[in-house]
Amino acid sequence: MSAELRLKKLRGSGGYVMATVNDQQQMKGNLGGPDLFLAPIGRLDSQKITKYFCNTCEKEFEGTPKIEYENPNEEVAENLVLAEKGQYICNSCNAVIAEYREFKKQNETVGVGVAKPIETTTQSIPSKIIEQIQIKPEISTQPTTEISLIEGLSVYDESARKIGIAKQVGIDSNQLVVLIIIKNDGVEASILWNNIRKVGEVILLGNPTVIPERIQQGKCTSCGFSNKEGSKFCEECGNKIQ
Ligand SMILES: [Zn+2]
Ligand SMILES: [Zn+2]
């Protein structure tokens, strides 16, 4: 084994895989917290995967989950092509262990434009542009390039109601990966990454738990009195504040 390859746990929405990854993949999978994530890494060589854990089966399996993918080369926004989308799937129960999307910019030097409405995504991309993408040599990108491309995607809840626009991926105070969105009313909110069912042309939530950005701190759980932020005891009833 090469010195730069390490066996790592890579988390997905429905479990994790254990795989040997190189430094670049490790950087990609690191979203700032202690864990590494499969989604930003994309498709791994299945020979690199030694085992996986399925949350649905609540069980660890030897070997690799199924990896199914397609290459839609679909233009999802101005200057942004969905190059590949794939899923890691449990061999036993067919649950999705992890999903990933790989986007490519047609022109690396300019930013991504406005996301296109879904209805127009069937329009064909000039074949010339596709060729350019395919022959483009692998450029070593910033570790967060793929993740940063979710910026501006519409976010829909379980009932397919648009609740806002994706802003960025961050880490909350509990060291959990969250998606920060701007809600329809312009207020920022964060959604636990685990609650995201699908990142594609839009972001679809599997569980519409939106955590208010500013949890009311200092609120007494006993009498409901709003104390100053950081208060240890309630001014009203003296109860200890969690
Ligand atoms: Zn399973
Ligand atoms: Zn109180």
Side-chain angles (χ1 to χ4, degrees):
M1 201 198 287
S2 153
E4 64 163 9
L5 288 174
R6 290 180 207 93
L7 184 65
K8 290 283 177 185
K9 182 199 271 193
L10 307 168
R11 281 176 52 182
S13 55
Y16 61 79
V17 305
M18 297 295 294
T20 48
V21 289
N22 60 32
D23 285 344
Q24 209 200 346
Q25 289 169 322
Q26 265 194 70
M27 273 163 60
K28 277 184 166 182
N30 184 349
L31 300 180
D35 294 326
L36 296 176
F37 290 85
L38 254 181
I41 296 176
R43 178 155 47 95
L44 287 168
D45 182 347
S46 57
Q47 290 179 338
K48 300 276 196 290
I49 302 173
T50 55
K51 55 190 173 183
Y52 72 94
F53 185 89
C54 170
N55 286 354
T56 309
C57 296
E58 296 186 324
K59 205 173 147 189
E60 193 173 76
F61 296 94
E62 292 296 317
T64 175
K66 276 185 292 221
I67 302 177
E68 290 181 358
Y69 67 95
E70 52 187 72
N71 299 98
N73 281 321
E74 191 174 275
E75 195 175 19
V76 293
E78 279 173 48
N79 193 31
L80 184 66
V81 168
L82 176 59
E84 179 170 320
K85 55 180 173 182
Q87 295 182 319
Y88 289 76
I89 296 167
C90 176
N91 294 312
S92 176
C93 74
N94 285 322
V96 175
I97 307 294
E99 287 188 288
Y100 66 89
R101 296 288 184 278
E102 279 176 22
F103 294 98
K104 289 214 163 71
K105 288 184 185 180
Q106 285 145 324
N107 180 349
E108 284 289 340
T109 58
V110 301
V112 174
V114 183
K116 296 203 164 177
I118 292 162
E119 299 85 72
T120 63
T121 52
T122 49
Q123 80 185 48
S124 62
I125 303 158
S127 56
K128 213 175 163 187
I129 295 176
I130 295 174
E131 276 167 29
Q132 281 174 5
I133 295 165
Q134 285 165 348
I135 58 172
K136 205 190 307 179
E138 274 299 312
I139 302 162
S140 75
T141 46
Q142 294 284 315
T144 53
T145 298
E146 282 82 359
I147 280 296
S148 69
L149 293 180
I150 66 171
E151 185 184 331
L153 292 184
S154 298
V155 181
Y156 287 83
D157 71 7
E158 243 173 356
S159 337
R161 270 192 309 255
K162 185 177 169 183
I163 59 167
I165 299 282
K167 193 185 170 203
Q168 64 183 87
V169 175
I171 305 288
D172 74 6
S173 52
N174 299 319
Q175 293 291 302
L176 293 167
V177 179
V178 292
L179 174 70
I180 297 168
I181 67 164
I182 314 268
K183 290 194 296 179
N184 294 336
D185 58 8
V187 177
E188 274 190 21
S190 55
I191 293 162
L192 284 178
W193 194 256
N194 285 345
N195 291 334
I196 295 172
R197 189 163 61 194
K198 215 162 182 164
V199 177
E201 293 76 10
V202 299
I203 294 172
L204 199 59
L205 306 181
N207 184 343
T209 320
V210 176
I211 307 162
E213 180 72 354
R214 296 187 62 79
I215 294 164
Q216 203 184 346
Q217 289 190 357
K219 181 160 181 161
C220 177
T221 49
S222 174
C223 73
F225 183 81
S226 292
N227 294 281
K228 281 197 291 286
E229 245 177 58
S231 303
K232 289 201 165 53
F233 295 94
C234 178
E235 280 176 35
E236 190 67 23
C237 70
N239 195 43
K240 191 160 191 272
I241 290 164
Q242 303 298 318

